[in-house]
Amino acid sequence: MMGANEGRRTPLMNLGVQVSMRVLAIGTALASMGLTITNHQVASVYGINFEAKYDYSSAFRYLVYAEIAIAGMTSFTLVWACLAVRRRGLVFVLFFFDLLTTLTAISAFSAAMSDGYIGKYGNTHAGWLPICGYVHNYCNRVTLSLALAFASFLLLFILTVLTASAARHF
């Protein structure tokens, strides 16, 4: 016969999952930010040099600033999660911060993804040509940065669901 607590996560075990996922989310956010900031390539098209940099796009700048904010907020909630194990009233506040961080992550990802899509495929209706044929390395690094930003979002989303589940029990 199973005891009343068997099959359920203990607060300490849940804390281990929370800490691990938060550290991974911080790492993926900082890696995405680092890739975006250091992304730069100069190309020559028909004898004319042009430069591709992240700060030429407001969406990529937003991604960088959002990833900095995400890393900062996730670091804050990492400490808060440790406190919430001891004081149950702090779980709802943890959920609120997780939700805000998750919404920031998906917002920044989708804004940068739209610019990345236009860079890769262009927009024939607006007369915007794709640039990835000229700056392969730049586009490959943007793709990797966006993949890391999406991984950060997924980790934060799972954390938000876990925190909402924990807040429901208190």
Side-chain angles (χ1 to χ4, degrees):
M1 182 176 270
M2 293 182 81
N5 288 332
E6 286 186 41
R8 296 181 65 172
R9 289 190 178 267
T10 64
L12 192 56
M13 189 167 147
N14 191 24
L15 180 64
V17 171
Q18 291 259 347
V19 167
S20 300
M21 290 184 72
R22 288 179 197 284
V23 168
L24 281 172
I26 292 167
T28 55
L30 290 177
S32 172
M33 185 240 353
L35 272 172
T36 304
I37 286 177
T38 60
N39 200 5
H40 173 265
Q41 187 175 355
V42 177
S44 179
V45 180
Y46 302 116
I48 301 170
N49 287 339
F50 77 94
E51 187 176 32
K53 288 177 67 174
Y54 88 94
D55 58 350
Y56 293 161
S57 163
S58 60
F60 291 145
R61 281 194 312 266
Y62 175 52
L63 178 68
V64 167
Y65 295 136
E67 294 293 355
I68 292 168
I70 288 165
M73 283 300 296
T74 307
S75 299
F76 172 74
T77 58
L78 178 63
V79 173
W80 197 270
C82 295
L83 294 174
V85 169
R86 303 201 190 289
R87 298 190 65 212
R88 298 181 187 272
L90 301 176
V91 175
F92 179 75
V93 176
L94 181 64
F95 165 71
F96 180 73
F97 284 125
D98 282 347
L99 182 63
L100 286 178
T101 308
T102 302
L103 293 174
T104 302
I106 194 62
S107 169
F109 168 76
S110 52
M113 185 69 181
S114 68
D115 267 16
Y117 181 87
I118 290 172
K120 181 137 180 108
Y121 300 107
N123 184 339
T124 56
H125 301 292
W128 298 336
L129 299 174
I131 64 162
C132 285
Y134 305 106
V135 284
H136 299 290
N137 293 335
Y138 179 82
C139 288
N140 290 339
R141 287 177 63 104
V142 165
T143 302
L144 184 56
S145 175
L146 288 173
L148 287 167
F150 189 71
S152 178
F153 159 72
L154 285 178
L155 288 166
L156 291 167
F157 179 74
I158 293 168
L159 276 168
T160 303
V161 170
L162 289 174
T163 308
S165 176
R168 204 176 52 143
H169 297 302
F170 296 114

